[in-house]
Amino acid sequence: MRLISARRIAQLFFFLLFLWFCLVSTLGERLWQLRGWPVNWFLQLDPLVGAGVLLATRTLYRGLLWGVVTIVLTLFLGRFFCGWVCPMGTLQQ
C-alpha cells in the first residue's frame, strides 16, 4: 500500500471518528442516549493544546501526553496531526 493511500484511509477514519464524537457530545446525558465516549481525545492529540495548558496552568495532565506521541510520529511521518488526524486538514485536501 502506498503512503498516500494509507494517509487517505487514516483521514477518512479520523474524520468519521470526529463526526461520531460530535454527534455523541450533542446528544445529552439521558439514559437512552450515547455517552461515555472520549470526545476530548482529539484535543489531547494536539501538542499545541498541551503547550497552552502547560503555560496557562503550569500543569501537564496525563491525557495531554498524547501530544508527545504526535510529535514523535511527526518526526517519522511528517505533518502527522495536520495531514493524517486533523479533520480540518482532511477537509482542506
Side-chain angles (χ1 to χ4, degrees):
M1 177 181 298
R2 294 180 31 207
L3 188 62
I4 294 173
S5 300
R7 184 175 66 190
R8 290 200 178 152
I9 290 170
Q11 284 177 336
L12 178 66
F13 171 75
F14 283 113
F15 184 70
L16 292 175
L17 186 66
F18 174 75
L19 289 178
W20 176 253
F21 284 163
C22 287
L23 178 72
V24 166
S25 66
T26 58
L27 287 179
E29 297 182 0
R30 294 193 181 157
L31 197 56
W32 57 272
Q33 295 172 331
L34 298 170
R35 60 182 171 181
W37 289 85
V39 295
N40 61 348
W41 186 64
F42 277 104
L43 292 175
Q44 292 175 352
L45 276 175
D46 191 359
L48 292 177
V49 171
V53 169
L54 180 64
L55 289 173
T57 64
R58 293 191 171 96
T59 306
L60 186 62
Y61 299 102
R62 185 183 331 152
L64 295 175
L65 291 177
W66 281 103
V68 175
V69 173
T70 303
I71 291 172
V72 169
L73 289 172
T74 300
L75 292 174
F76 292 109
L77 299 173
R79 278 192 50 206
F80 175 74
F81 185 77
C82 293
W84 292 66
V85 177
C86 181
M88 184 59 116
T90 301
L91 290 176
Q92 287 178 344
Q93 230 176 28

PDB file of all heavy atoms in Angstrom, residues 50-84:
ATOM      1  N   GLY A  50      -1.571  20.990  24.502  1.00  0.00           N
ATOM      2  CA  GLY A  50      -0.777  20.642  25.678  1.00  0.00           C
ATOM      3  C   GLY A  50       0.136  21.774  26.101  1.00  0.00           C
ATOM      4  O   GLY A  50       0.275  22.067  27.295  1.00  0.00           O
ATOM      5  N   ALA A  51       0.758  22.446  25.118  1.00  0.00           N
ATOM      6  CA  ALA A  51       1.630  23.580  25.438  1.00  0.00           C
ATOM      7  C   ALA A  51       0.820  24.733  26.029  1.00  0.00           C
ATOM      8  O   ALA A  51       1.268  25.391  26.981  1.00  0.00           O
ATOM      9  CB  ALA A  51       2.377  24.032  24.191  1.00  0.00           C
ATOM     10  N   GLY A  52      -0.370  24.982  25.487  1.00  0.00           N
ATOM     11  CA  GLY A  52      -1.220  26.045  26.014  1.00  0.00           C
ATOM     12  C   GLY A  52      -1.675  25.774  27.435  1.00  0.00           C
ATOM     13  O   GLY A  52      -1.682  26.673  28.281  1.00  0.00           O
ATOM     14  N   VAL A  53      -2.056  24.525  27.706  1.00  0.00           N
ATOM     15  CA  VAL A  53      -2.469  24.153  29.068  1.00  0.00           C
ATOM     16  C   VAL A  53      -1.289  24.254  30.024  1.00  0.00           C
ATOM     17  O   VAL A  53      -1.427  24.730  31.155  1.00  0.00           O
ATOM     18  CB  VAL A  53      -3.089  22.736  29.073  1.00  0.00           C
ATOM     19  CG1 VAL A  53      -3.276  22.227  30.500  1.00  0.00           C
ATOM     20  CG2 VAL A  53      -4.399  22.728  28.330  1.00  0.00           C
ATOM     21  N   LEU A  54      -0.120  23.834  29.567  1.00  0.00           N
ATOM     22  CA  LEU A  54       1.079  23.911  30.408  1.00  0.00           C
ATOM     23  C   LEU A  54       1.416  25.362  30.751  1.00  0.00           C
ATOM     24  O   LEU A  54       1.740  25.681  31.899  1.00  0.00           O
ATOM     25  CB  LEU A  54       2.260  23.247  29.711  1.00  0.00           C
ATOM     26  CG  LEU A  54       3.589  23.236  30.455  1.00  0.00           C
ATOM     27  CD1 LEU A  54       3.456  22.404  31.725  1.00  0.00           C
ATOM     28  CD2 LEU A  54       4.682  22.678  29.574  1.00  0.00           C
ATOM     29  N   LEU A  55       1.301  26.248  29.777  1.00  0.00           N
ATOM     30  CA  LEU A  55       1.598  27.652  30.042  1.00  0.00           C
ATOM     31  C   LEU A  55       0.534  28.310  30.918  1.00  0.00           C
ATOM     32  O   LEU A  55       0.848  29.158  31.751  1.00  0.00           O
ATOM     33  CB  LEU A  55       1.722  28.417  28.719  1.00  0.00           C
ATOM     34  CG  LEU A  55       2.963  28.102  27.889  1.00  0.00           C
ATOM     35  CD1 LEU A  55       2.880  28.790  26.544  1.00  0.00           C
ATOM     36  CD2 LEU A  55       4.217  28.519  28.627  1.00  0.00           C
ATOM     37  N   ALA A  56      -0.716  27.934  30.722  1.00  0.00           N
ATOM     38  CA  ALA A  56      -1.796  28.571  31.474  1.00  0.00           C
ATOM     39  C   ALA A  56      -1.900  28.076  32.907  1.00  0.00           C
ATOM     40  O   ALA A  56      -2.151  28.864  33.827  1.00  0.00           O
ATOM     41  CB  ALA A  56      -3.124  28.351  30.760  1.00  0.00           C
ATOM     42  N   THR A  57      -1.725  26.777  33.110  1.00  0.00           N
ATOM     43  CA  THR A  57      -1.943  26.211  34.450  1.00  0.00           C
ATOM     44  C   THR A  57      -0.666  25.754  35.137  1.00  0.00           C
ATOM     45  O   THR A  57      -0.715  25.375  36.302  1.00  0.00           O
ATOM     46  CB  THR A  57      -2.891  25.000  34.372  1.00  0.00           C
ATOM     47  OG1 THR A  57      -2.276  23.968  33.612  1.00  0.00           O
ATOM     48  CG2 THR A  57      -4.214  25.394  33.756  1.00  0.00           C
ATOM     49  N   ARG A  58       0.422  25.743  34.413  1.00  0.00           N
ATOM     50  CA  ARG A  58       1.716  25.228  34.910  1.00  0.00           C
ATOM     51  C   ARG A  58       1.594  23.773  35.364  1.00  0.00           C
ATOM     52  O   ARG A  58       2.254  23.331  36.299  1.00  0.00           O
ATOM     53  CB  ARG A  58       2.255  26.102  36.027  1.00  0.00           C
ATOM     54  CG  ARG A  58       2.656  27.472  35.560  1.00  0.00           C
ATOM     55  CD  ARG A  58       3.420  28.219  36.603  1.00  0.00           C
ATOM     56  NE  ARG A  58       3.972  29.438  36.050  1.00  0.00           N
ATOM     57  CZ  ARG A  58       3.403  30.633  36.152  1.00  0.00           C
ATOM     58  NH1 ARG A  58       2.261  30.754  36.802  1.00  0.00           N
ATOM     59  NH2 ARG A  58       3.969  31.680  35.628  1.00  0.00           N
ATOM     60  N   THR A  59       0.694  23.042  34.694  1.00  0.00           N
ATOM     61  CA  THR A  59       0.461  21.631  34.986  1.00  0.00           C
ATOM     62  C   THR A  59       0.309  20.886  33.667  1.00  0.00           C
ATOM     63  O   THR A  59      -0.376  21.354  32.771  1.00  0.00           O
ATOM     64  CB  THR A  59      -0.826  21.439  35.808  1.00  0.00           C
ATOM     65  OG1 THR A  59      -0.753  22.257  36.967  1.00  0.00           O
ATOM     66  CG2 THR A  59      -1.015  20.002  36.214  1.00  0.00           C
ATOM     67  N   LEU A  60       0.954  19.734  33.562  1.00  0.00           N
ATOM     68  CA  LEU A  60       0.791  18.902  32.368  1.00  0.00           C
ATOM     69  C   LEU A  60      -0.011  17.666  32.771  1.00  0.00           C
ATOM     70  O   LEU A  60       0.461  16.831  33.536  1.00  0.00           O
ATOM     71  CB  LEU A  60       2.144  18.487  31.783  1.00  0.00           C
ATOM     72  CG  LEU A  60       2.085  17.737  30.463  1.00  0.00           C
ATOM     73  CD1 LEU A  60       1.457  18.614  29.389  1.00  0.00           C
ATOM     74  CD2 LEU A  60       3.462  17.310  30.022  1.00  0.00           C
ATOM     75  N   TYR A  61      -1.224  17.598  32.280  1.00  0.00           N
ATOM     76  CA  TYR A  61      -2.098  16.484  32.622  1.00  0.00           C
ATOM     77  C   TYR A  61      -1.707  15.239  31.835  1.00  0.00           C
ATOM     78  O   TYR A  61      -1.162  15.319  30.740  1.00  0.00           O
ATOM     79  CB  TYR A  61      -3.547  16.858  32.346  1.00  0.00           C
ATOM     80  CG  TYR A  61      -4.001  18.030  33.161  1.00  0.00           C
ATOM     81  CD1 TYR A  61      -4.096  19.295  32.612  1.00  0.00           C
ATOM     82  CD2 TYR A  61      -4.313  17.870  34.504  1.00  0.00           C
ATOM     83  CE1 TYR A  61      -4.488  20.373  33.363  1.00  0.00           C
ATOM     84  CE2 TYR A  61      -4.714  18.944  35.270  1.00  0.00           C
ATOM     85  CZ  TYR A  61      -4.797  20.188  34.694  1.00  0.00           C
ATOM     86  OH  TYR A  61      -5.193  21.262  35.459  1.00  0.00           O
ATOM     87  N   ARG A  62      -1.987  14.073  32.395  1.00  0.00           N
ATOM     88  CA  ARG A  62      -1.590  12.804  31.783  1.00  0.00           C
ATOM     89  C   ARG A  62      -2.181  12.632  30.385  1.00  0.00           C
ATOM     90  O   ARG A  62      -1.521  12.150  29.483  1.00  0.00           O
ATOM     91  CB  ARG A  62      -2.002  11.638  32.671  1.00  0.00           C
ATOM     92  CG  ARG A  62      -1.502  10.329  32.124  1.00  0.00           C
ATOM     93  CD  ARG A  62      -1.931   9.112  32.904  1.00  0.00           C
ATOM     94  NE  ARG A  62      -2.152   9.351  34.309  1.00  0.00           N
ATOM     95  CZ  ARG A  62      -2.985   8.647  35.047  1.00  0.00           C
ATOM     96  NH1 ARG A  62      -3.688   7.674  34.514  1.00  0.00           N
ATOM     97  NH2 ARG A  62      -3.133   8.891  36.316  1.00  0.00           N
ATOM     98  N   GLY A  63      -3.416  13.038  30.194  1.00  0.00           N
ATOM     99  CA  GLY A  63      -4.054  12.893  28.893  1.00  0.00           C
ATOM    100  C   GLY A  63      -3.382  13.708  27.807  1.00  0.00           C
ATOM    101  O   GLY A  63      -3.411  13.344  26.628  1.00  0.00           O
ATOM    102  N   LEU A  64      -2.746  14.807  28.199  1.00  0.00           N
ATOM    103  CA  LEU A  64      -2.085  15.651  27.214  1.00  0.00           C
ATOM    104  C   LEU A  64      -0.734  15.099  26.772  1.00  0.00           C
ATOM    105  O   LEU A  64      -0.109  15.641  25.872  1.00  0.00           O
ATOM    106  CB  LEU A  64      -1.934  17.071  27.759  1.00  0.00           C
ATOM    107  CG  LEU A  64      -3.258  17.799  28.003  1.00  0.00           C
ATOM    108  CD1 LEU A  64      -3.000  19.141  28.658  1.00  0.00           C
ATOM    109  CD2 LEU A  64      -4.029  17.967  26.719  1.00  0.00           C
ATOM    110  N   LEU A  65      -0.287  14.020  27.370  1.00  0.00           N
ATOM    111  CA  LEU A  65       0.957  13.384  26.921  1.00  0.00           C
ATOM    112  C   LEU A  65       0.780  12.711  25.562  1.00  0.00           C
ATOM    113  O   LEU A  65       1.759  12.324  24.938  1.00  0.00           O
ATOM    114  CB  LEU A  65       1.453  12.390  27.968  1.00  0.00           C
ATOM    115  CG  LEU A  65       1.967  13.033  29.258  1.00  0.00           C
ATOM    116  CD1 LEU A  65       2.354  11.958  30.255  1.00  0.00           C
ATOM    117  CD2 LEU A  65       3.138  13.943  28.979  1.00  0.00           C
ATOM    118  N   TRP A  66      -0.473  12.577  25.099  1.00  0.00           N
ATOM    119  CA  TRP A  66      -0.694  12.086  23.738  1.00  0.00           C
ATOM    120  C   TRP A  66      -0.052  13.029  22.718  1.00  0.00           C
ATOM    121  O   TRP A  66       0.281  12.620  21.615  1.00  0.00           O
ATOM    122  CB  TRP A  66      -2.186  11.950  23.458  1.00  0.00           C
ATOM    123  CG  TRP A  66      -2.789  10.720  24.033  1.00  0.00           C
ATOM    124  CD1 TRP A  66      -3.555  10.644  25.155  1.00  0.00           C
ATOM    125  CD2 TRP A  66      -2.679   9.393  23.534  1.00  0.00           C
ATOM    126  NE1 TRP A  66      -3.932   9.344  25.372  1.00  0.00           N
ATOM    127  CE2 TRP A  66      -3.402   8.565  24.396  1.00  0.00           C
ATOM    128  CE3 TRP A  66      -2.029   8.826  22.443  1.00  0.00           C
ATOM    129  CZ2 TRP A  66      -3.495   7.193  24.199  1.00  0.00           C
ATOM    130  CZ3 TRP A  66      -2.126   7.473  22.251  1.00  0.00           C
ATOM    131  CH2 TRP A  66      -2.849   6.670  23.119  1.00  0.00           C
ATOM    132  N   GLY A  67       0.113  14.282  23.076  1.00  0.00           N
ATOM    133  CA  GLY A  67       0.783  15.234  22.185  1.00  0.00           C
ATOM    134  C   GLY A  67       2.229  14.849  21.930  1.00  0.00           C
ATOM    135  O   GLY A  67       2.765  15.098  20.847  1.00  0.00           O
ATOM    136  N   VAL A  68       2.866  14.220  22.903  1.00  0.00           N
ATOM    137  CA  VAL A  68       4.240  13.725  22.712  1.00  0.00           C
ATOM    138  C   VAL A  68       4.254  12.614  21.658  1.00  0.00           C
ATOM    139  O   VAL A  68       5.151  12.557  20.819  1.00  0.00           O
ATOM    140  CB  VAL A  68       4.834  13.242  24.054  1.00  0.00           C
ATOM    141  CG1 VAL A  68       6.196  12.627  23.862  1.00  0.00           C
ATOM    142  CG2 VAL A  68       4.879  14.382  25.056  1.00  0.00           C
ATOM    143  N   VAL A  69       3.244  11.760  21.685  1.00  0.00           N
ATOM    144  CA  VAL A  69       3.126  10.712  20.668  1.00  0.00           C
ATOM    145  C   VAL A  69       2.972  11.350  19.294  1.00  0.00           C
ATOM    146  O   VAL A  69       3.581  10.909  18.306  1.00  0.00           O
ATOM    147  CB  VAL A  69       1.933   9.779  20.980  1.00  0.00           C
ATOM    148  CG1 VAL A  69       1.688   8.804  19.855  1.00  0.00           C
ATOM    149  CG2 VAL A  69       2.154   9.062  22.287  1.00  0.00           C
ATOM    150  N   THR A  70       2.198  12.411  19.213  1.00  0.00           N
ATOM    151  CA  THR A  70       2.016  13.122  17.949  1.00  0.00           C
ATOM    152  C   THR A  70       3.327  13.709  17.452  1.00  0.00           C
ATOM    153  O   THR A  70       3.643  13.630  16.258  1.00  0.00           O
ATOM    154  CB  THR A  70       0.970  14.237  18.116  1.00  0.00           C
ATOM    155  OG1 THR A  70      -0.239  13.666  18.584  1.00  0.00           O
ATOM    156  CG2 THR A  70       0.726  14.958  16.818  1.00  0.00           C
ATOM    157  N   ILE A  71       4.113  14.270  18.349  1.00  0.00           N
ATOM    158  CA  ILE A  71       5.405  14.847  17.952  1.00  0.00           C
ATOM    159  C   ILE A  71       6.347  13.761  17.450  1.00  0.00           C
ATOM    160  O   ILE A  71       7.030  13.939  16.435  1.00  0.00           O
ATOM    161  CB  ILE A  71       6.019  15.628  19.127  1.00  0.00           C
ATOM    162  CG1 ILE A  71       5.182  16.877  19.401  1.00  0.00           C
ATOM    163  CG2 ILE A  71       7.457  16.012  18.844  1.00  0.00           C
ATOM    164  CD1 ILE A  71       5.565  17.621  20.657  1.00  0.00           C
ATOM    165  N   VAL A  72       6.394  12.622  18.129  1.00  0.00           N
ATOM    166  CA  VAL A  72       7.270  11.523  17.699  1.00  0.00           C
ATOM    167  C   VAL A  72       6.840  10.999  16.325  1.00  0.00           C
ATOM    168  O   VAL A  72       7.678  10.776  15.443  1.00  0.00           O
ATOM    169  CB  VAL A  72       7.283  10.389  18.752  1.00  0.00           C
ATOM    170  CG1 VAL A  72       7.957   9.149  18.221  1.00  0.00           C
ATOM    171  CG2 VAL A  72       7.948  10.867  20.029  1.00  0.00           C
ATOM    172  N   LEU A  73       5.532  10.825  16.125  1.00  0.00           N
ATOM    173  CA  LEU A  73       5.057  10.374  14.815  1.00  0.00           C
ATOM    174  C   LEU A  73       5.309  11.408  13.728  1.00  0.00           C
ATOM    175  O   LEU A  73       5.541  11.057  12.569  1.00  0.00           O
ATOM    176  CB  LEU A  73       3.576  10.020  14.889  1.00  0.00           C
ATOM    177  CG  LEU A  73       3.254   8.744  15.656  1.00  0.00           C
ATOM    178  CD1 LEU A  73       1.751   8.592  15.830  1.00  0.00           C
ATOM    179  CD2 LEU A  73       3.836   7.533  14.945  1.00  0.00           C
ATOM    180  N   THR A  74       5.306  12.670  14.092  1.00  0.00           N
ATOM    181  CA  THR A  74       5.613  13.726  13.131  1.00  0.00           C
ATOM    182  C   THR A  74       7.062  13.648  12.685  1.00  0.00           C
ATOM    183  O   THR A  74       7.371  13.914  11.519  1.00  0.00           O
ATOM    184  CB  THR A  74       5.311  15.110  13.745  1.00  0.00           C
ATOM    185  OG1 THR A  74       3.933  15.157  14.089  1.00  0.00           O
ATOM    186  CG2 THR A  74       5.632  16.226  12.789  1.00  0.00           C
ATOM    187  N   LEU A  75       7.944  13.266  13.586  1.00  0.00           N
ATOM    188  CA  LEU A  75       9.358  13.118  13.207  1.00  0.00           C
ATOM    189  C   LEU A  75       9.541  12.032  12.152  1.00  0.00           C
ATOM    190  O   LEU A  75      10.408  12.144  11.284  1.00  0.00           O
ATOM    191  CB  LEU A  75      10.202  12.803  14.440  1.00  0.00           C
ATOM    192  CG  LEU A  75      10.338  13.921  15.465  1.00  0.00           C
ATOM    193  CD1 LEU A  75      11.077  13.412  16.690  1.00  0.00           C
ATOM    194  CD2 LEU A  75      11.041  15.121  14.864  1.00  0.00           C
ATOM    195  N   PHE A  76       8.733  10.978  12.212  1.00  0.00           N
ATOM    196  CA  PHE A  76       8.875   9.874  11.269  1.00  0.00           C
ATOM    197  C   PHE A  76       8.007  10.021  10.018  1.00  0.00           C
ATOM    198  O   PHE A  76       8.420   9.642   8.927  1.00  0.00           O
ATOM    199  CB  PHE A  76       8.547   8.540  11.950  1.00  0.00           C
ATOM    200  CG  PHE A  76       9.548   8.157  12.991  1.00  0.00           C
ATOM    201  CD1 PHE A  76       9.217   8.196  14.334  1.00  0.00           C
ATOM    202  CD2 PHE A  76      10.834   7.772  12.645  1.00  0.00           C
ATOM    203  CE1 PHE A  76      10.129   7.847  15.307  1.00  0.00           C
ATOM    204  CE2 PHE A  76      11.760   7.439  13.599  1.00  0.00           C
ATOM    205  CZ  PHE A  76      11.410   7.473  14.942  1.00  0.00           C
ATOM    206  N   LEU A  77       6.798  10.559  10.176  1.00  0.00           N
ATOM    207  CA  LEU A  77       5.857  10.603   9.054  1.00  0.00           C
ATOM    208  C   LEU A  77       5.661  12.007   8.484  1.00  0.00           C
ATOM    209  O   LEU A  77       5.095  12.146   7.411  1.00  0.00           O
ATOM    210  CB  LEU A  77       4.498  10.040   9.488  1.00  0.00           C
ATOM    211  CG  LEU A  77       4.497   8.591   9.946  1.00  0.00           C
ATOM    212  CD1 LEU A  77       3.138   8.213  10.496  1.00  0.00           C
ATOM    213  CD2 LEU A  77       4.877   7.678   8.793  1.00  0.00           C
ATOM    214  N   GLY A  78       6.085  13.035   9.175  1.00  0.00           N
ATOM    215  CA  GLY A  78       5.898  14.403   8.719  1.00  0.00           C
ATOM    216  C   GLY A  78       4.434  14.802   8.745  1.00  0.00           C
ATOM    217  O   GLY A  78       3.567  14.026   8.375  1.00  0.00           O
ATOM    218  N   ARG A  79       4.130  15.990   9.191  1.00  0.00           N
ATOM    219  CA  ARG A  79       2.771  16.526   9.249  1.00  0.00           C
ATOM    220  C   ARG A  79       1.752  15.480   9.702  1.00  0.00           C
ATOM    221  O   ARG A  79       0.691  15.338   9.104  1.00  0.00           O
ATOM    222  CB  ARG A  79       2.361  17.058   7.882  1.00  0.00           C
ATOM    223  CG  ARG A  79       2.855  18.434   7.608  1.00  0.00           C
ATOM    224  CD  ARG A  79       2.215  19.047   6.402  1.00  0.00           C
ATOM    225  NE  ARG A  79       0.776  18.934   6.468  1.00  0.00           N
ATOM    226  CZ  ARG A  79      -0.003  18.912   5.416  1.00  0.00           C
ATOM    227  NH1 ARG A  79       0.498  18.967   4.218  1.00  0.00           N
ATOM    228  NH2 ARG A  79      -1.302  18.835   5.542  1.00  0.00           N
ATOM    229  N   PHE A  80       2.051  14.752  10.718  1.00  0.00           N
ATOM    230  CA  PHE A  80       1.172  13.655  11.140  1.00  0.00           C
ATOM    231  C   PHE A  80      -0.186  14.165  11.585  1.00  0.00           C
ATOM    232  O   PHE A  80      -1.211  13.688  11.107  1.00  0.00           O
ATOM    233  CB  PHE A  80       1.815  12.836  12.264  1.00  0.00           C
ATOM    234  CG  PHE A  80       0.913  11.777  12.797  1.00  0.00           C
ATOM    235  CD1 PHE A  80       0.670  10.637  12.056  1.00  0.00           C
ATOM    236  CD2 PHE A  80       0.266  11.930  14.011  1.00  0.00           C
ATOM    237  CE1 PHE A  80      -0.187   9.653  12.525  1.00  0.00           C
ATOM    238  CE2 PHE A  80      -0.586  10.956  14.484  1.00  0.00           C
ATOM    239  CZ  PHE A  80      -0.810   9.822  13.738  1.00  0.00           C
ATOM    240  N   PHE A  81      -0.219  15.130  12.487  1.00  0.00           N
ATOM    241  CA  PHE A  81      -1.523  15.568  13.003  1.00  0.00           C
ATOM    242  C   PHE A  81      -2.319  16.298  11.929  1.00  0.00           C
ATOM    243  O   PHE A  81      -3.482  15.990  11.697  1.00  0.00           O
ATOM    244  CB  PHE A  81      -1.349  16.468  14.234  1.00  0.00           C
ATOM    245  CG  PHE A  81      -2.651  16.835  14.876  1.00  0.00           C
ATOM    246  CD1 PHE A  81      -3.317  15.927  15.669  1.00  0.00           C
ATOM    247  CD2 PHE A  81      -3.211  18.077  14.666  1.00  0.00           C
ATOM    248  CE1 PHE A  81      -4.534  16.246  16.251  1.00  0.00           C
ATOM    249  CE2 PHE A  81      -4.416  18.408  15.252  1.00  0.00           C
ATOM    250  CZ  PHE A  81      -5.074  17.495  16.041  1.00  0.00           C
ATOM    251  N   CYS A  82      -1.700  17.250  11.255  1.00  0.00           N
ATOM    252  CA  CYS A  82      -2.439  18.050  10.265  1.00  0.00           C
ATOM    253  C   CYS A  82      -2.771  17.255   9.008  1.00  0.00           C
ATOM    254  O   CYS A  82      -3.787  17.484   8.375  1.00  0.00           O
ATOM    255  CB  CYS A  82      -1.638  19.283   9.885  1.00  0.00           C
ATOM    256  SG  CYS A  82      -1.460  20.446  11.240  1.00  0.00           S
ATOM    257  N   GLY A  83      -1.911  16.350   8.619  1.00  0.00           N
ATOM    258  CA  GLY A  83      -2.134  15.615   7.381  1.00  0.00           C
ATOM    259  C   GLY A  83      -2.853  14.289   7.545  1.00  0.00           C
ATOM    260  O   GLY A  83      -3.404  13.758   6.582  1.00  0.00           O
ATOM    261  N   TRP A  84      -2.857  13.737   8.753  1.00  0.00           N
ATOM    262  CA  TRP A  84      -3.433  12.409   8.948  1.00  0.00           C
ATOM    263  C   TRP A  84      -4.644  12.419   9.887  1.00  0.00           C
ATOM    264  O   TRP A  84      -5.602  11.692   9.663  1.00  0.00           O
ATOM    265  CB  TRP A  84      -2.397  11.459   9.535  1.00  0.00           C
ATOM    266  CG  TRP A  84      -1.277  11.115   8.612  1.00  0.00           C
ATOM    267  CD1 TRP A  84      -0.332  11.955   8.139  1.00  0.00           C
ATOM    268  CD2 TRP A  84      -0.987   9.840   8.051  1.00  0.00           C
ATOM    269  NE1 TRP A  84       0.530  11.283   7.333  1.00  0.00           N
ATOM    270  CE2 TRP A  84       0.158   9.979   7.267  1.00  0.00           C
ATOM    271  CE3 TRP A  84      -1.580   8.590   8.165  1.00  0.00           C
ATOM    272  CZ2 TRP A  84       0.719   8.922   6.580  1.00  0.00           C
ATOM    273  CZ3 TRP A  84      -1.011   7.530   7.485  1.00  0.00           C
ATOM    274  CH2 TRP A  84       0.121   7.702   6.698  1.00  0.00           C
TER     275      TRP A  84
END
